[in-house]
Amino acid sequence: MKLFLSFLKKNIYAMLAVVLAEASFLALFFLMDGDILIWYAVLLASSMGLFILAVRFIGYAKRHRQVSSLINSDGDFLRLPEPRDELETDYQSIIANLHKNLAQTRSDYESEVRELSDFYTLWAHQIKTPIAAMRLMMKPEDEKLAQELFKIEQYVEMALNIARMRNDASDYVIRRQPLDPIIRKAIRHYARLFIGKKLALEYEGCEAYVNTDEKWLGFGIEQILSNAIKYTPSGKITIKASESAIVISDTGIGIPPEFLPRVFEKGFTGFAGRANERSTGLGLYMTKVALERLGLAVSISSTPGTGTSVTISFDAAKRVYE
């Protein structure tokens, strides 16, 4: 019905011309004292007008189907029907020029992104050298300085991972492997911070095997551990692992319920009671992106003043890889 109304609107002037012609015939009918031939002329004009209108509508509907079928196509929208007049030719030329400009803009943007990614990667690798030199120059009593230097290393590593994650062809290598070494490596990475904040760790180990990428799963676990340590002034962090899930819980300050739906958003840092901590708002976002690329689901639950629990679920990945 909508298509038909659109067609009528497009042909309104042609229909008005037919109506005016029939009105003229009717005027002649009254002027010629009701000559029956005028009625024949009116009927003939009406029949011809309806016939032409029907033929034009069939063509209009066919052309509409041809064009609308290209709306959701991927790159085929330039395969438009042959133009029927100069105006349609002009419209298609405009579309072709827009497509050409869009392709050029996209190419320029992708080139700039690659250059920026290369710069971040180069910077991250180069900055590691002076950091390593500073670590060698530190004395055993410089523990506080060592912790701050560790944080710098973490931010550098985050910048490097952001550059890697911008490329969908990142080196994901999925294979079946033991889960315990991945978790223990992440724990060792943050051992200095555990000791510095005097936090207890509860982890009994596991014998589970999972299909995953060791590096990126380790990255996700490390980011979750980093948040747990950062927002747990005292108490303990608990890690439970199985073939179904990894659950990392802390006894920290917790997250207000109104912020829970947004914690994985890029750049979100609005945690109540955490104003004293510097946060990029990227850790959990990057964790979610990395784990979802592995086919894993990540969720979070929390009670303010009691603690937070983050769950990495392997159930979805099992269905995919099996």
Side-chain angles (χ1 to χ4, degrees), residues 164-172 216 293:
R164 290 169 177 163
M165 290 176 68
R166 293 183 72 94
N167 182 9
D168 288 336
S170 294
D171 52 340
Y172 287 86
W216 287 105
R293 288 183 180 179

Side-chain angles (χ1 to χ4, degrees), residues 28-146:
L28 289 173
F29 173 77
F30 289 109
L31 290 174
M32 297 178 67
D33 297 328
D35 191 337
I36 192 66
L37 292 176
I38 300 298
W39 278 114
Y40 288 138
V42 169
L43 291 174
L44 181 61
S46 299
S47 300
M48 291 180 63
L50 291 173
F51 176 75
I52 294 172
L53 201 65
V55 171
R56 286 180 60 84
F57 176 71
I58 292 172
Y60 182 79
K62 180 180 179 181
R63 198 166 185 81
H64 169 72
R65 287 193 299 271
Q66 290 175 333
V67 175
S68 61
S69 66
L70 301 175
I71 292 176
N72 296 320
S73 62
D74 184 14
D76 289 337
F77 63 91
L78 288 179
R79 292 164 50 187
L80 295 168
E82 287 295 323
R84 295 180 300 186
D85 52 40
E86 291 301 318
L87 187 60
E88 286 195 359
T89 300
D90 293 338
Y91 283 143
Q92 293 193 17
S93 297
I94 292 172
I95 293 173
N97 287 333
L98 289 174
H99 175 66
K100 182 179 179 181
N101 293 336
L102 176 61
Q104 184 61 48
T105 302
R106 181 179 296 170
S107 176
D108 293 342
Y109 171 75
E110 291 176 350
S111 178
E112 291 178 4
V113 168
R114 282 194 298 270
E115 290 179 4
L116 188 61
S117 178
D118 292 342
F119 168 76
Y120 279 137
T121 304
L122 179 62
W123 173 84
H125 284 297
Q126 288 183 336
I127 202 68
K128 288 181 178 181
T129 301
I131 290 175
M134 291 171 63
R135 186 172 294 283
L136 291 173
M137 295 166 62
M138 284 191 307
K139 299 177 181 179
E141 60 267 22
D142 296 332
E143 181 59 30
K144 201 68 179 175
L145 182 60

Side-chain angles (χ1 to χ4, degrees), residues 201-233:
L201 173 67
E202 185 178 306
Y203 174 60
E204 298 178 354
C206 70
E207 299 180 356
Y209 278 73
V210 294
N211 291 309
T212 191
D213 179 277
E214 178 182 358
K215 181 179 73 175
W216 287 105
L217 176 59
F219 165 77
I221 295 172
E222 287 182 5
Q223 290 299 313
I224 296 169
L225 276 178
S226 174
N227 268 22
I229 296 170
K230 185 186 298 183
Y231 300 123
T232 304

